[in-house]
């Protein structure tokens, strides 16, 4: 018996990841996943910028010993 990935290649309608809003739409599901990944990447980049800005502010106002 083959791997699950081989099964889903033969029967894409059986893969729940190919459904969007209860409809079989492999292209739409792929586009949705890519949009979610892009959004997560943007959020991560913005958070890193904020973290760097916060660290700079803390360092600027840190008391000298």
């Amino acid at each position: 018996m083959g791997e699950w990935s081989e099964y889903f290649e033969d029967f894409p309608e059986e893969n729940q990841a190919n459904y969007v809003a209860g409809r079989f739409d492999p292209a739409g599901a792929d586009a949705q996943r890519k949009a979610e990944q892009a959004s997560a990447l943007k959020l991560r980049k913005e958070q890193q910028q904020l973290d760097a800005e916060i660290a700079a502010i803390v360092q600027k106002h840190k008391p000298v010993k």
Side-chain angles (χ1 to χ4, degrees):
M1 180 158 191
E3 297 291 323
W4 276 108
S5 59
E6 293 172 3
Y7 175 80
F8 289 134
E9 286 175 11
D10 293 337
F11 303 100
E13 66 279 357
E14 294 292 326
N15 187 349
Q16 292 299 309
N18 287 331
Y19 285 80
V20 176
R23 274 188 26 241
F24 178 68
D25 183 7
D30 188 46
Q32 184 179 18
R33 282 189 295 275
K34 287 180 181 176
E36 288 172 356
Q37 287 175 342
S39 177
L41 182 62
K42 180 182 178 208
L43 181 62
R44 188 172 25 237
K45 183 178 178 181
E46 289 173 351
Q47 186 63 53
Q48 287 174 341
Q49 290 171 340
L50 287 172
D51 291 344
E53 186 176 342
I54 291 168
I57 292 170
V58 168
Q59 187 64 31
K60 179 180 175 183
H61 296 284
K62 196 173 190 179
V64 179
K65 291 183 178 183

